[in-house]
Amino acid sequence: MENQEKLDEFQARIDAGEKIEPKDWMPERYRQQLIRMMSQHAHSEIVGMLPEGNWIERAPSLKRKLVLLAKVQDEAGHGLYLYSATETLGIDRSELVDQYLYGSAKYSSIFNYPTMTYADICAIGWLVDGAAIVNQTMLARSSYGPYSRANVRICKEESFHKKQGYEMLAKMADGTPEQQKMAQDSVNRWWWPSLMMFGPHDSDSPNSAELIKWQVKLKTNDELRQHFVDRMVMEAEAIGMELPDPDLEYNEETGHWDFGDIPWDEFWNVVKGNGVMNRKRIKDRRAAHENGEWVREAANAYARKKKLQQEKAS
Amino acid sequence: MTDNNNDNWPLWEVFTQPKSGKPHEHAGSVHAADKEMALQNARDTYARRNEGVSIWVVKSKHITASTPEDMGPFFDPANDKPYRHPQFYSVPRAVKKRS
Ligand SMILES: [Fe+2]
Ligand SMILES: [Fe+2]
């Protein structure tokens, strides 16, 4: 049993703005919530490579191919920073990967939508990485030291992801009528899913209060979403893109942009596994993992052989 | 289900030196079968933008760290030695101004 005194001491440290480090005492529930949240974040970075990787070979120029390759490689890096940080909580990476590929671990639903045109790559950079930045900037101040540091590292790389997408979208918005139509179509499809990346409304988010009490998160889903909407309205206008929400309206009283009802039925449907791409994504991830098995084994055999040679030589 | 033990590459801690003349700093960890691979993985993971001019890797199991429980007693000896700090000493006013 965790005694009240220890819990109070822990809460006092959090309230004083101290960071919790791997070997520090922490409530079991804090540890479990972090493992769930951090590994979910890591899985999302990894699966996030698939919709964009889909377009690397078909990028419209060598420059865009290089940019997209670098971005996708960064996402792999983000996944690895986060797995590394999650492992400090005393869980092995192979177990995390197993929960994700063969168990019930979740990842962000945004990656279960298809990327049908190259304009989707532009819209993803702008909207999806844009939403990720809002979230991760907050997480960079999270109470768990390794998670906070991983997000600091991630944030340094994300602004390029967003900017390259925004730049391309601006170009298309300024292009031929076909390009304009293509760009607008992808913004129309990605807008609502990107709003849903912040998770359910605060009133439907049972974990939120606890995570905020422990300063794992510093803002609620709705606060983050509002911050994102305010910013994106401005950025959309600057490049002449329309956001597909007739209810968007500036609210003089609050100083924020009001927006329409989010299509939650669709969200929950995708979360439950019925999105267009759910099955394909997990199938592709499993195949990548299983087809890499011989590489992992070969590397182990090589390491064993070299160790043996060294022992003989000395 | 695939087996877990194909992923039993050991864990390595990674330290990067941001610039020459600066100390090495802990960056995170990687899994790798041997030390060469650990260095390469560390470069690809933690130094894609010249964040390091030098990298150290060491197997995590070889690191010994102080524990939070020791925090008090272990560092105590430093607490009662104010004479290790320059503020402990007084110097003539005229000299103080200049330094
Ligand atoms: Fe990322
Ligand atoms: Fe990104």
Side-chain angles (χ1 to χ4, degrees), chain A residues 98-135:
Chain A
D98 220 60
Q99 287 172 358
Y100 158 42
L101 293 180
Y102 307 100
S104 57
K106 295 251 182 301
Y107 58 84
S108 176
S109 275
I110 194 78
F111 303 114
N112 286 324
Y113 292 87
T115 41
M116 300 188 294
T117 69
Y118 194 74
D120 287 0
I121 300 306
C122 315
I124 286 179
W126 179 46
L127 294 171
V128 176
D129 289 82
I133 289 175
V134 170
N135 201 26

Side-chain angles (χ1 to χ4, degrees), chain B residues 37-85:
Chain B
M37 190 197 258
L39 268 180
Q40 285 166 0
N41 287 356
R43 177 203 56 198
D44 293 346
T45 310
Y46 295 104
R48 284 191 301 286
R49 289 176 175 76
N50 294 323
E51 291 97 332
V53 292
S54 158
I55 300 178
W56 295 344
V57 290
V58 57
K59 273 194 186 159
S60 308
K61 67 173 183 193
H62 292 323
I63 290 189
T64 309
S66 63
T67 66
E69 294 81 59
D70 307 325
M71 199 120 114
F74 190 72
F75 295 103
D76 248 1
N79 286 345
D80 57 355
K81 295 180 182 60
Y83 46 85
R84 280 184 173 149
H85 299 279

Side-chain angles (χ1 to χ4, degrees), chain A residues 46-64:
Chain A
I46 298 293
V47 80
M49 288 190 280
L50 292 173
E52 291 184 284
N54 176 36
W55 280 92
I56 290 175
E57 287 183 352
R58 294 173 289 168
S61 68
L62 184 59
K63 175 183 157 189
R64 291 302 167 188

Side-chain angles (χ1 to χ4, degrees), chain A residues 46-212:
Chain A
I46 298 293
V47 80
M49 288 190 280
L50 292 173
E52 291 184 284
N54 176 36
W55 280 92
I56 290 175
E57 287 183 352
R58 294 173 289 168
S61 68
L62 184 59
K63 175 183 157 189
R64 291 302 167 188
K65 197 187 287 258
L66 287 172
V67 169
L68 190 54
L69 260 175
K71 177 185 189 293
V72 171
Q73 194 195 15
D74 275 353
E75 305 301 0
H78 298 176
L80 296 180
Y81 305 157
L82 292 163
Y83 281 131
S84 160
T86 316
E87 280 182 293
T88 63
L89 291 160
I91 185 161
D92 199 70
R93 184 172 316 188
S94 55
E95 199 178 323
L96 297 170
V97 172
D98 220 60
Q99 287 172 358
Y100 158 42
L101 293 180
Y102 307 100
S104 57
K106 295 251 182 301
Y107 58 84
S108 176
S109 275
I110 194 78
F111 303 114
N112 286 324
Y113 292 87
T115 41
M116 300 188 294
T117 69
Y118 194 74
D120 287 0
I121 300 306
C122 315
I124 286 179
W126 179 46
L127 294 171
V128 176
D129 289 82
I133 289 175
V134 170
N135 201 26
Q136 291 166 155
T137 305
M138 165 196 72
L139 293 171
R141 286 160 47 222
S142 176
S143 63
Y144 187 54
Y147 194 33
S148 143
R149 291 190 287 273
N151 278 292
V152 167
R153 212 171 258 284
I154 289 173
C155 284
K156 283 188 188 155
E157 303 180 351
E158 287 290 6
S159 62
F160 134 62
H161 296 182
K162 181 183 171 189
K163 263 181 127 174
Q164 57 88 36
Y166 189 50
E167 182 197 82
M168 286 194 294
L169 208 60
K171 275 214 166 115
M172 288 187 87
D174 213 22
T176 65
E178 286 86 0
Q179 286 170 328
Q180 287 172 357
K181 199 170 156 252
M182 203 189 224
Q184 186 61 57
D185 171 64
S186 69
V187 169
N188 291 349
R189 280 181 291 111
W190 289 93
W191 172 249
W192 291 107
S194 73
L195 289 196
M196 295 186 239
M197 281 174 72
F198 296 97
H201 283 308
D202 297 345
S203 49
D204 301 320
S205 179
N207 286 321
S208 242
E210 189 179 51
L211 292 174
I212 286 176

Side-chain angles (χ1 to χ4, degrees), chain A residues 23-24 73-74 77-78 80-81 84 87 93-94 98 102 153 157 160 289-290 293 295-297 299-300 302-303 306 310, chain B residues 1-4 6-9 11 27-31 33-37 45-46 48-49 51 65-69:
Chain A
K23 287 184 158 187
D24 295 351
Q73 194 195 15
D74 275 353
H78 298 176
L80 296 180
Y81 305 157
S84 160
E87 280 182 293
R93 184 172 316 188
S94 55
D98 220 60
Y102 307 100
R153 212 171 258 284
E157 303 180 351
F160 134 62
H289 186 70
E290 287 161 18
E293 197 166 321
V295 179
R296 294 190 290 277
E297 266 171 29
N300 266 340
Y302 180 73
K306 275 190 65 183
Q310 261 169 11
Chain B
M1 270 235 171
T2 53
D3 50 304
N4 269 345
N6 61 24
D7 215 9
N8 59 356
W9 289 353
L11 191 64
S29 63
V30 293
H31 284 266
D34 58 33
K35 53 190 179 189
E36 284 83 15
M37 190 197 258
T45 310
Y46 295 104
R48 284 191 301 286
R49 289 176 175 76
E51 291 97 332
S66 63
T67 66
E69 294 81 59

